[in-house]
Amino acid sequence: MIRLIDRVAPFASKPAPTFDPDAPQIPCGSGLAREGARSFTTKFGTLLILSLISTSAIATEPELRIRSHLQPTNSIMVGGILELQLDVLTDSWFTDAPTLPDLKLPGALVMPPDGHAEHLNQTLDGKSFNGMRYRYRITPNLAQGFDIPALTVHATPGQASTPLTAQSQPLHFIATQPPGFKPGEPVLVAQGLRFTQTVLNSATPLKVGDSLTRQLTLQADDALAMSLPAPSLADVAGLSRYPKAPQISNLDDGRGHFNGGQRIDTVTYRIDTEGRHHLPSIELKWWDASTGQTRTAQVPAVTFDAAANSAYRPVFSITEDLKKLTQRGRVHLSGHWLVLLALLLAVTLLGWFARPFVYRAYLQWQARRSARRAAWLESADYAWRQIPAQIDGKPAQLSALYLWARRSHMGLKLTNLGPCLQDLLRACYSRQPTEDQALRQLRQSLSTLHSQAKRDTASAAPALLPLNPAHAKDVP
């Protein structure tokens, strides 16, 4: 066993505490305790300061500012390009892309901002702002003044409790007509221009039935593609012209920055006759914004010969097709059909305008018909026609006979109508009634009763009122 005696080794420890009368006394027994207290105090103060800073940041809402200006500010030409630069700034950051308004100016073409924006860092009123710059490209078509209204932008900066809205200031500019251009004449303003053509033959050498394609390419720097004018491509004798839809596009530098516009026009000519054919040269007048001068761009004429082609047979002729379509669209009507059509139209119009009168006449006819039927039901003839059915009925009735006598103004006495009725009453009310035989006799004598009936004119009206007042109006 190895014994270690009187061995001394160094060890880590804090120095012994010393007394400082000027330092604040902490009731702790060691230096380690005092340093722990100081560390706690430092951390607590740091947390308190950070909390105060974050509270003040939360209490302050971020700002949204909109600044707008035109570029260039003067010498704005009709057909040229003008930039409306819209700066969207905040003292915070954007959580999403701002919502930009649409801009429409009567008498001008407006291309809205694309997806590319320029990042900005500015100091406004002593505060740092950052944001993005958007560009509206405007091409005036008329020489007049233009008013750009205030544009409203919606955005949501970071730490904003709700989406913010801000407006730009209204702007005004005046567009003037470039020298050398008449009012209403198409104007192309550009920093530079390239006007070229390409000619393609369907066969070599050319013969009747072959085709030739002429392609014109116009590129203008700092000009909107929509404002590029269309070249004049007129018809040529002996050729059939078939134009294609133009290809219009904007040019950029490969990184999304706008450079200008491009227009490609293509037309195909079919050769209909042999001989020499000539496509005229095409000129384009434009204003050079870099030098302030009027210039003219031109593509040369195209001349070619076409040989005869005995094997060629045109599949169709546009001229003949148009004539056939025109003839198909015509409607040939003879004279009598025109007369019948005019008569039918006149009758239709007459019926349309006569509807109120016809309806009133129909209502009057219905009223007269109802009145005639009511008069017939109240007539003596109607009552007479009911008598045979009542006599043949079981039991027999004489109400129709009384009704006929009353309506014929013969009174209510059946004895005045003839001896047959007297026999009927005697048979009905005698001690030995034989009414069936009397009714048969009455039925047989009805044909002569109507002609023999006479009104009793000898009887006078009684002085007393009738016993049945309900029939007072029927008593003659």
Side-chain angles (χ1 to χ4, degrees):
M1 175 180 293
I2 299 176
R3 300 182 64 182
L4 298 178
I5 300 174
D6 297 333
R7 294 287 301 270
V8 178
F11 63 95
S13 175
K14 291 292 182 179
T18 58
F19 177 75
D20 186 2
D22 296 331
Q25 301 299 316
I26 300 175
C28 297
S30 65
L32 292 175
R34 289 195 301 271
E35 289 186 2
R38 293 192 188 100
S39 175
F40 174 78
T41 304
T42 304
K43 292 179 180 180
F44 180 77
T46 303
L47 291 175
L48 181 61
I49 294 174
L50 290 177
S51 63
L52 291 176
I53 293 175
S54 62
T55 302
S56 62
I58 294 175
T60 304
E61 284 286 335
E63 293 186 45
L64 178 65
R65 295 192 183 184
I66 306 298
R67 298 167 61 89
S68 62
H69 52 277
L70 298 174
Q71 185 65 31
T73 57
N74 53 11
S75 301
I76 301 173
M77 296 290 182
V78 174
I81 190 169
L82 172 71
E83 279 192 359
L84 169 62
Q85 298 179 356
L86 193 68
D87 298 343
V88 183
L89 305 172
T90 182
D91 57 352
S92 177
W93 67 89
F94 289 106
T95 59
D96 199 356
T99 302
L100 304 179
D102 293 332
L103 176 60
K104 295 182 179 179
L105 295 178
L109 295 175
V110 179
M111 187 176 73
D114 51 14
H116 301 276
E118 179 183 351
H119 292 273
L120 300 176
N121 290 301
Q122 296 182 3
T123 302
L124 304 176
D125 299 333
K127 296 178 63 176
S128 297
F129 285 82
N130 63 88
M132 291 167 286
R133 172 173 292 173
Y134 298 92
R135 290 178 170 87
Y136 291 84
R137 293 178 174 86
I138 305 171
T139 299
N141 296 327
L142 301 176
Q144 63 179 24
F146 293 87
D147 292 316
I148 300 177
L151 302 179
T152 303
V153 180
H154 304 274
T156 306
Q159 297 182 349
S161 58
T162 58
L164 303 182
T165 300
Q167 283 188 338
S168 65
Q169 63 271 24
L171 299 176
H172 177 79
F173 69 92
I174 299 176
T176 59
Q177 191 80 7
F181 289 86
K182 300 179 181 178
E185 182 181 359
V187 180
L188 174 59
V189 178
Q191 295 288 339
L193 187 136
R194 293 166 297 280
F195 191 28
T196 60
Q197 76 171 349
T198 303
V199 179
L200 299 176
N201 298 337
S202 62
T204 303
L206 291 174
K207 296 179 293 184
V208 175
D210 294 336
S211 62
L212 178 141
T213 301
R214 188 181 196 184
Q215 180 175 295
L216 303 175
T217 301
L218 174 62
Q219 293 180 344
D221 298 334
D222 289 337
L224 293 181
M226 295 182 295
S227 64
L228 301 182
S232 177
L233 298 172
D235 292 331
V236 179
L239 303 176
S240 298
R241 183 171 61 93
Y242 301 96
K244 295 182 180 180
Q247 302 176 19
I248 301 175
S249 59
N250 290 319
L251 301 177
D252 55 35
D253 58 357
R255 292 178 294 177
H257 298 96
F258 174 81
N259 276 346
Q262 175 179 269
R263 180 187 178 101
I264 300 177
D265 292 270
T266 305
V267 60
T268 300
Y269 295 93
R270 188 189 65 188
I271 303 174
D272 297 331
T273 59
E274 60 177 320
R276 172 160 291 191
H277 301 279
H278 179 77
L279 302 181
S281 60
I282 299 177
E283 294 184 353
L284 181 62
K285 185 179 178 182
W286 64 288
W287 175 263
D288 191 347
S290 60
T291 61
Q293 296 178 352
T294 302
R295 298 183 182 275
T296 301
Q298 183 180 13
V299 293
V302 178
T303 303
F304 60 94
D305 295 325
N309 187 1
S310 59
Y312 172 72
R313 295 291 183 271
V315 179
F316 60 89
S317 174
I318 295 181
T319 305
E320 295 297 329
D321 288 348
L322 291 177
K323 290 181 179 180
K324 292 180 180 179
L325 289 175
T326 305
Q327 293 176 358
R328 289 179 183 176
R330 295 178 181 175
V331 179
H332 299 278
L333 296 177
S334 58
H336 66 278
W337 283 110
L338 290 176
V339 173
L340 290 177
L341 183 60
L343 181 61
L344 179 61
L345 181 60
V347 171
T348 303
L349 293 177
L350 180 62
W352 175 264
F353 290 108
R355 286 186 309 162
F357 304 99
V358 173
Y359 182 69
R360 285 198 294 269
Y362 173 75
L363 293 180
Q364 294 175 0
W365 175 78
Q366 288 280 11
R368 288 194 298 268
R369 181 181 178 186
S370 300
R372 286 195 301 267
R373 179 168 179 78
W376 162 251
L377 295 177
E378 296 293 333
S379 64
D381 293 337
Y382 176 77
W384 175 261
R385 293 190 178 186
Q386 309 302 318
I387 294 175
Q390 290 189 358
I391 293 176
D392 295 338
K394 298 296 182 179
Q397 297 182 10
L398 298 178
S399 59
L401 184 61
Y402 280 98
L403 184 62
W404 171 72
R406 185 182 64 190
R407 290 180 178 179
S408 299
H409 305 285
M410 297 180 184
L412 300 177
K413 296 181 180 181
L414 297 181
T415 57
N416 297 333
L417 300 179
C420 60
L421 291 178
Q422 296 178 2
D423 295 341
L424 173 63
L425 295 176
R426 192 178 298 110
C428 292
Y429 299 102
S430 62
R431 293 181 179 180
Q432 296 180 356
T434 57
E435 55 179 313
D436 293 338
Q437 182 179 359
L439 289 173
R440 285 195 300 270
Q441 293 177 358
L442 178 61
R443 180 71 175 82
Q444 295 174 359
S445 62
L446 283 177
S447 59
T448 59
L449 178 62
H450 190 272
S451 59
Q452 294 178 358
K454 294 182 180 180
R455 186 177 180 181
D456 187 4
T457 57
S459 60
L464 298 177
L465 294 176
L467 295 179
N468 191 354
H471 298 285
K473 59 182 180 180
D474 296 327
V475 178

